[in-house]
Amino acid sequence: GESVGLHLPTLSVQEGDNSIINCAYSNSASDYFIWYKQESGKGPQFIIDIRSNMDKRQGQRVTVLLNKTVKHLSLQIAATQPGDSAVYFCAENNNNDMRFGAGTRLTVKP
Amino acid sequence: KAGVTQTPRYLIKTRGQQVTLSCSPISGHRSVSWYQQTPGQGLQFLFEYFSETQRNKGNFPGRFSGRQFSNSRSEMNVSTLELGDSALYLCASSLVSGKETQYFGPGTRLLVL
C-alpha cells in the first residue's frame, strides 16, 4: 500500500526577512537541545545548541530561545538568505537519548 | 579537520540480503551514533558506540547491529533486509557523548528491492 510520509510544516519567507521556526519537545527532563539544518542530499548540519540552564543563545544570524515552562524551542534566522532554504530539525537530549523533531521546511523566495 | 565520512554513499540490495555500512568519525571523536532517516518516520536513533561498547540503543529489531573499532571507526550491519529498511542511514560523531554537538556524515542511501 501507499506509505504515508511525515507532513513537514513549511515556512516560506522573503529574502531579507527574519524567519522563526518553532519546535515543541516532549521530555521535560531533556537538558540539551540542538538545531540542525539539512539540505537536500546531505546529512544534518549543526547550527546552534542550548543547554537547559539558559533561555537564549545567539550565533551568527541565528538565535535559539528555550521556554522550559511550555517545552518550546525556537530558531530565529535574521536576514534570511536563499542559502538558508532547507529542512530544520530540533533535537532534544535526555541522558544521551537524542530525539529529533519531524522538521520544518524553510523556503526562501528571492 | 576532515568531517565524518560514510561509505558507501549509495547501495542497492534485495530482500533477504545483508548489508554493512561504514563510518569514520572526525579525528579525536570517540562517540559514534547511527540514525535511520525515512520520509515516513523521520530521524530515528539506532545506537551509540563509545570506546568499542554500545552505550545506547534505540527501538529497532535485532537485525540491526553495530560495532566500533579501537580507532573509533564504526560499522553497522542489517541482516535479512526488508523493503522497509530502505532509508538514509546517518552516522554522527561527537567527542565523548551524545550530550555534545554531534556532527553528521553525508549518509548512506540504501534501497532494498
Side-chain angles (χ1 to χ4, degrees):
Chain A
E2 181 181 353
S3 64
V4 178
L6 285 173
H7 178 67
L8 289 185
T10 58
L11 176 65
S12 184
V13 301
Q14 206 69 38
E15 181 179 358
D17 287 352
N18 296 334
S19 303
I20 299 177
I21 301 171
N22 296 304
C23 176
Y25 63 92
S26 57
N27 191 340
S28 56
S30 294
D31 56 2
Y32 179 55
F33 305 87
I34 312 107
W35 278 101
Y36 287 95
K37 170 187 180 184
Q38 187 173 24
E39 296 173 279
S40 181
K42 297 182 179 179
Q45 175 189 359
F46 171 85
I47 301 174
I48 192 168
D49 59 0
I50 189 168
R51 299 196 183 273
S52 59
N53 61 350
M54 300 173 70
D55 298 323
K56 179 180 179 180
R57 190 158 188 234
Q58 288 184 289
Q60 189 175 17
R61 278 202 309 121
V62 294
T63 300
V64 55
L65 298 177
L66 174 63
N67 185 331
K68 295 180 287 294
T69 303
V70 295
K71 295 190 286 187
H72 184 267
L73 197 64
S74 69
L75 176 71
Q76 300 177 2
I77 305 174
T80 316
Q81 302 167 0
D84 295 328
S85 293
V87 175
Y88 290 81
F89 295 94
C90 66
E92 60 178 307
N93 188 300
N94 170 39
N95 198 27
N96 287 332
D97 180 18
M98 182 82 79
R99 295 186 184 268
F100 289 80
T104 295
R105 185 177 301 281
L106 175 65
T107 302
V108 182
K109 296 176 287 186
Chain B
K1 190 182 273 191
V4 178
T5 58
Q6 291 186 246
T7 57
R9 292 293 312 278
Y10 303 94
L11 204 51
I12 299 176
K13 292 283 187 179
T14 56
R15 278 182 301 172
Q17 287 187 307
Q18 67 130 24
V19 67
T20 299
L21 312 181
S22 181
C23 171
S24 291
I26 291 172
S27 177
H29 284 194
R30 296 168 62 192
S31 169
V32 174
S33 298
W34 288 91
Y35 296 86
Q36 182 196 66
Q37 187 176 35
T38 61
Q41 299 295 324
L43 258 170
Q44 292 187 288
F45 172 72
L46 280 156
F47 27 65
E48 182 208 359
Y49 284 87
F50 177 80
S51 290
E52 302 176 64
T53 301
Q54 188 180 89
R55 188 157 63 176
N56 284 295
K57 189 177 190 306
N59 191 26
F60 277 81
R63 298 186 297 108
F64 292 81
S65 63
R67 59 177 175 167
Q68 187 180 33
F69 302 95
S70 58
N71 62 357
S72 295
R73 190 176 71 83
S74 177
E75 290 180 346
M76 69 162 280
N77 184 280
V78 188
S79 62
T80 320
L81 283 165
E82 301 176 359
L83 296 179
D85 296 333
S86 294
L88 180 67
Y89 290 89
L90 292 159
C91 164
S93 78
S94 58
L95 274 170
V96 175
S97 77
K99 277 202 179 296
E100 304 159 332
T101 304
Q102 291 189 331
Y103 296 89
F104 282 83
T108 294
R109 187 162 294 283
L110 171 66
L111 177 61
V112 181
L113 302 176

